[in-house]
Amino acid sequence: IFGLLHLVQSQLEEDDEAEAPGETVEWHPLDSDDHLRFRNWIYSHLVHGQLPPLVDSVHFLARADPREPDEPNRECSAAKAMGYLATAWVFAQEGDSELKQEARDLVESAERQVKHCAYVEQDRFTLLAILRTKWPIWWLLQRVLSLLEPRGEAS
């Protein structure tokens, strides 16, 4: 299903580019050079089927959201969700069961980031806005889950 969501996301992006310039609702736009570079870096790794270096994913995760720890919307960040998923991708690739469990925990952390947005950003958090995001979150999630639950092994 996440592969299909990625396909819908890609189609919406193409439709947005074909339409006249206007105000489109987008969930968590790429609002810094760092976010844009990380998004492009992950996208390139996804396109070429190459695993990103763990250290770069972890470093991005550490700096992904500079908001203060006590801000209520700090737990709602597409950038942090991408950092968690990129790190999970590396762990999911390993054969070690403990690392695979770490990958599952990271996927859950990414999910918490996205779910929290439903509460703190109700005006911007819509399905259409999430599908229009420039973050390749659905593609990355599909890649991670395909490693954690290969076809024929899902229960």
Side-chain angles (χ1 to χ4, degrees), residues 45-110:
H45 281 83
L46 286 166
V47 165
H48 297 290
Q50 298 172 338
L51 198 62
L54 177 62
V55 68
D56 294 331
S57 297
V58 172
H59 283 168
F60 178 78
L61 184 55
R63 67 180 188 274
D65 193 345
R67 292 179 281 191
E68 294 298 318
D70 59 342
E71 288 186 48
N73 64 347
R74 183 169 166 89
E75 297 300 314
C76 164
S77 169
K80 281 193 98 89
M82 286 293 296
Y84 285 129
L85 290 175
T87 305
W89 186 13
V90 176
F91 286 170
Q93 193 79 14
E94 299 297 324
D96 182 51
S97 62
E98 288 182 23
L99 286 177
K100 286 200 182 267
Q101 185 55 51
E102 287 291 329
R104 287 182 184 88
D105 293 345
L106 289 164
V107 169
E108 288 178 13
S109 294

Side-chain angles (χ1 to χ4, degrees), residues 10-24:
S10 299
Q11 185 63 50
L12 283 171
E13 191 172 298
E14 288 175 17
D15 290 349
D16 287 346
E17 291 170 1
E19 292 177 5
E23 190 66 31
T24 58

